[in-house]
Amino acid sequence: MDAFALLLAATLNAGTVLAFAALGLLINERAGIVNLGAEGMMLVAAIAGFAVAVHTGNEWAGLGAGAVAGALLAAAFGLLVIWLNTNQYATGLALSLFGAGFSAFVGIKYTQEKLPERLQFQIPGLADIPFIGPAFFRQHVMVYIAIVLTIALAWFLYRSRAGLVLRAVGESPEAAHALGYPVRRIRLAAVMVGGALCGLSGAYISVVYTPLWVEGMVAGKGWIALALTTFATWRPARVLLGAYLFGGVTMLQFHLQGEGVQVSSQLLTMLPYLATIVVLVLISRNATWIRVNMPASLGKPFFPGS
């Protein structure tokens, strides 16, 4: 039971990484923008957050720096695809390639750095409950923030006027523009908020989850987060559940290795990505279901003068 509690705790921790990034990408896509640059933004944010945490000794400063780095890269992406009308898919891929190279270059001198020891967070009283305490109530604060953020985002999208406007921009930017809404500015704001959340995810990896800096340490999590938005049919609660599902698959490989299961380590490492492919294949079999839930203008450019 203790081993299972530790597996659940690790699942929540790993799922938080995916949750922040996927929620950010969901905001982008609800506004009609596809950003394939999540991996690059997370890598740049990871090194930015780690560097700031090393020099300040404050993990919250590091997380904030990661969010800022992600928002700045997203702003550059937004200016290119929203105002200059560059191809969203090509620009996103270029951002991923840039982030991988830039983070590797900047991070060379940080590969041997270590962060100071962090106190173990726990919720008084609840953390001492057998099984439940170690599994759910000894997590980093960011784990609980991800849950609160999911609830807040669901309320924002479906219960607030601003959320309705955001979804309207994603469904029909022409109609929103005709009603007087600044579609381009709304899209840019959504892209920057999404980038900040991706950056927060990247910084969480290097500052809290690992915590260290290694070149390419995001290791495809940005792509899994991108797939999660489709898996969750663009709904925040499903994004969180999907993040925990994929986080559990990721942690299962280490749990099985620790239990001495005689399975190739390479095969176990493939599990999260194999699960991603299987899920996407199953979802894509029902094209109507995706079409009904997907924002109608997703990936399509908008020209105010047309």
Side-chain angles (χ1 to χ4, degrees):
M1 292 296 289
D2 289 340
F4 187 57
L6 292 176
L7 176 60
L8 284 176
T11 295
L12 292 177
N13 197 19
T16 298
V17 174
L18 297 172
F20 276 114
L23 288 173
L25 294 173
L26 182 145
I27 294 172
N28 287 187
E29 295 185 10
R30 277 293 185 178
I33 301 295
V34 176
N35 187 352
L36 301 184
E39 187 84 1
M41 290 190 296
M42 290 171 70
L43 281 167
V44 173
I47 184 56
F50 185 77
V52 170
V54 166
H55 291 297
T56 64
N58 188 319
E59 66 177 23
W60 292 104
L63 292 170
V68 170
L72 290 176
L73 285 176
F77 168 83
L79 290 173
L80 288 171
V81 302
I82 298 171
W83 264 270
L84 300 181
N85 293 312
T86 60
N87 184 276
Q88 294 182 22
Y89 301 97
T91 307
L93 288 173
L95 180 57
S96 269
L97 294 173
F98 168 79
F102 181 76
S103 62
F105 173 73
V106 174
I108 292 175
K109 67 177 182 179
Y110 290 99
T111 53
Q112 302 300 322
E113 296 286 350
K114 293 184 179 180
L115 295 177
E117 289 291 328
R118 185 178 69 250
L119 294 176
Q120 180 70 35
F121 178 82
Q122 55 184 18
I123 299 178
L126 297 177
D128 297 325
I129 300 175
F131 182 77
I132 296 177
F136 300 107
F137 300 117
R138 295 181 184 177
Q139 301 287 348
H140 190 273
V141 177
M142 292 296 291
V143 173
Y144 307 112
I145 290 177
I147 297 172
V148 173
L149 176 64
T150 301
I151 297 171
L153 183 57
W155 178 88
F156 171 78
L157 288 175
Y158 300 107
R159 293 289 185 269
S160 72
R161 179 181 178 82
L164 177 62
V165 171
L166 179 69
R167 289 191 292 128
V169 167
E171 291 294 334
S172 178
E174 293 81 8
H177 177 69
L179 291 173
Y181 292 108
V183 171
R184 286 183 165 182
R185 292 204 295 272
I186 290 171
R187 282 187 161 183
L188 180 62
V191 165
M192 290 184 66
V193 171
L197 289 177
C198 286
L200 197 59
S201 175
Y204 183 83
I205 294 174
S206 62
V207 175
V208 178
Y209 184 70
T210 313
L212 51 83
W213 165 255
V214 177
E215 181 182 339
M217 66 186 305
V218 174
K221 292 181 177 64
W223 299 110
I224 294 178
L226 189 66
L228 261 177
T229 59
T230 304
F231 167 75
T233 59
W234 296 273
R235 296 177 184 273
R238 294 178 186 176
V239 164
L240 186 65
L241 292 176
Y244 290 149
L245 171 63
F246 284 103
V249 172
T250 301
M251 289 298 104
L252 182 62
Q253 59 176 305
F254 301 113
H255 181 73
L256 292 176
Q257 289 173 347
E259 294 295 320
V261 176
Q262 298 300 315
V263 181
S264 169
S265 60
Q266 289 81 5
L267 179 62
L268 292 175
T269 304
M270 288 168 51
L271 282 178
Y273 310 102
L274 182 62
T276 303
I277 294 171
V278 170
V279 167
L280 289 177
V281 168
L282 292 176
I283 290 175
S284 63
R285 294 180 64 186
N286 191 342
T288 303
W289 189 50
I290 293 180
R291 189 165 55 251
V292 167
N293 290 281
M294 181 177 70
S297 70
L298 185 62
K300 300 176 181 177
F302 170 67
F303 304 95
S306 59

